[in-house]
Amino acid sequence: MSSTHAQDIPCAPMIPSAPTVPPSSYQEILTNTTKGIDEFRTYTRDEDTPDRVVEHYRDMRAYQTVEFYDRMEKKYSFENGTYRKLMTIEEAFVELENYIDASDPDLDLPNLLHLLQTAEGIRKAQHPDWLQLTGLIHDMGKIMFLWGDAHDGQDGYSTNGKQWALGGDTFVVGCRIPDEAVVFPEFNTLNPDMHDPRYNTIYGIYEPHCGLDALKFAWGHDEYMYRMLVANDCKLPREALDMIRYHSAYPWHDKGAYTHLMKEEDKERMKWVQLFNKFDLYTKDGGNDLRGEKLKDLWPHYQGLLEKYGLSGKLKW
């Protein structure tokens, strides 16, 4: 078993951790009062889950492989100053305005609204400004749809477009997909890597306790946005970068999978991702539209945070 993956991925900048309060001291707040906690993330093959969501996870499980990850890693590389487009965060928001996440059973509205609701939920709970900004930008990696297509699961232009490499719960490729930790486990057999002895064992290509950053999670907006932020030398703390990079890894942070691959320090990192997840999930509310005039009132606050953390002006995407 071996993996050189950790050597290929850009490391997070060596910025001191910003939090002064441990995760356990943060209050749990359900900012969406229209739904109960048990009404979120309903993944069943019946009328409770939209057909588009079931189809999304069938495709994701079938096509997210080691080969696909490696191909996307090359396509979206930032090595040697490479990038696809220069845009400000504001310009990227304009591009994302009409993007709807096909994998989300809880919100059938533009992704921009979800980002605003997450950020404002965190702000209302009086969490640090770096965490508020993390909420605002955490899903912006879905901007990949500008350069993707349906074949690669990155179609954000078409109604019900294929988006299996943009959003959805991510699992580790290169080792066995854990039936007990993923939604729709019946689709696991569709993945060709699960029929390849190099990849279908519990360790696969990885060493025991190699650490979170050595793992190849299914390619999507999380990994792309993490790399984009590192490439632009942002000043967000490591906790923020972890939240952005691993918030879709539900088999890991929600179901406890991959402990045999984790380092001891990854346990503490998981707590921060779990904290962020409360706001990512429970602030989704179709009745709370923060766009239009409300956005004009809110934006000066977030513009200041973008400047503070090195994300103002034209950025490499």
Side-chain angles (χ1 to χ4, degrees):
M1 298 175 294
S2 64
S3 176
T4 58
H5 178 58
Q7 300 173 4
D8 300 330
I9 288 183
C11 295
M14 297 302 293
I15 299 173
S17 295
T20 57
V21 183
S24 58
S25 71
Y26 283 92
Q27 60 189 27
E28 296 182 15
I29 296 178
L30 179 64
T31 52
N32 181 342
T33 58
T34 64
K35 296 174 69 173
I37 289 178
D38 59 353
E39 295 180 84
F40 289 86
R41 287 184 54 80
T42 300
Y43 292 101
T44 55
R45 297 179 71 177
D46 55 30
E47 66 276 3
D48 291 333
T49 302
D51 291 342
R52 61 175 170 79
V53 175
V54 177
E55 181 181 353
H56 175 93
Y57 278 100
R58 181 188 298 112
D59 290 343
M60 193 174 185
R61 215 61 53 77
Y63 303 128
Q64 285 277 6
T65 63
V66 172
E67 183 279 331
F68 179 77
Y69 181 102
D70 292 345
R71 184 156 55 85
M72 291 300 103
E73 183 177 44
K74 182 177 180 179
K75 176 177 179 177
Y76 291 105
S77 173
F78 286 94
E79 288 185 354
N80 301 318
T82 300
Y83 60 87
R84 283 133 295 280
K85 188 174 183 178
L86 289 174
M87 288 186 290
T88 64
I89 291 289
E90 296 92 327
E91 290 169 338
F93 268 137
V94 172
E95 298 286 358
L96 283 168
E97 220 165 65
N98 296 314
Y99 179 88
I100 296 176
D101 191 343
S103 69
D104 193 339
D106 296 316
L107 192 65
D108 195 18
L109 290 170
N111 204 243
L112 170 60
L113 178 56
H114 165 55
L115 295 176
L116 290 168
Q117 290 178 346
T118 304
E120 281 298 286
I122 294 170
R123 185 182 179 188
K124 180 180 178 182
Q126 299 183 335
H127 291 327
D129 61 5
W130 65 264
L131 189 50
Q132 298 169 31
L133 181 58
T134 301
L136 184 72
I137 66 173
H138 75 278
D139 272 353
M140 293 193 75
K142 292 170 183 175
I143 201 76
M144 283 190 295
F145 81 88
L146 294 179
W147 309 289
D149 53 36
H151 176 72
D152 286 336
Q154 296 166 2
D155 179 4
Y157 287 109
S158 306
T159 303
N160 295 322
K162 297 288 187 180
Q163 298 176 7
W164 50 264
L166 289 174
D169 295 5
T170 58
F171 54 92
V172 177
V173 299
C175 66
R176 181 185 303 161
I177 303 173
D179 288 347
E180 68 282 1
V182 297
V183 299
F184 305 118
E186 62 270 27
F187 295 148
N188 289 353
T189 58
L190 300 177
N191 192 296
D193 285 358
M194 294 306 95
H195 305 281
D196 188 325
R198 294 175 296 173
Y199 307 132
N200 64 5
T201 65
I202 62 168
Y203 288 104
I205 62 175
Y206 306 107
E207 298 289 346
H209 302 292
C210 58
L212 190 61
D213 295 337
L215 305 180
K216 298 183 178 186
F217 281 88
W219 186 270
H221 70 283
D222 313 60
E223 184 67 23
Y224 168 79
M225 193 62 189
Y226 164 77
R227 291 172 182 244
M228 177 271 184
L229 293 171
V230 173
N232 283 282
D233 299 320
C234 84
K235 296 179 175 62
L236 285 169
R238 178 178 177 175
E239 289 81 359
L241 296 175
D242 281 348
M243 292 170 181
I244 288 167
R245 192 179 191 185
Y246 299 118
H247 69 273
S248 296
Y250 278 87
W252 171 63
H253 66 68
D254 186 51
K255 299 300 183 182
Y258 308 121
T259 56
H260 59 295
L261 299 174
M262 291 169 59
K263 291 181 178 179
E264 187 64 29
E265 67 186 57
D266 295 336
K267 296 178 182 178
E268 186 67 21
R269 297 169 70 186
M270 180 190 289
K271 294 178 183 178
W272 287 101
V273 178
Q274 291 170 331
L275 167 67
F276 176 78
N277 177 251
K278 294 182 178 71
F279 293 93
D280 185 20
L281 188 57
Y282 299 137
T283 57
K284 295 175 182 177
D285 185 355
N288 181 26
D289 198 335
L290 299 174
R291 296 168 297 174
E293 291 301 316
K294 290 185 179 179
L295 176 57
K296 291 181 181 179
D297 294 335
L298 296 173
W299 191 251
H301 171 72
Y302 292 106
Q303 181 62 54
L305 298 187
L306 290 170
E307 293 173 1
K308 178 177 179 179
Y309 291 102
L311 292 171
S312 61
K314 295 284 187 179
L315 303 172
K316 294 178 287 187
W317 295 83

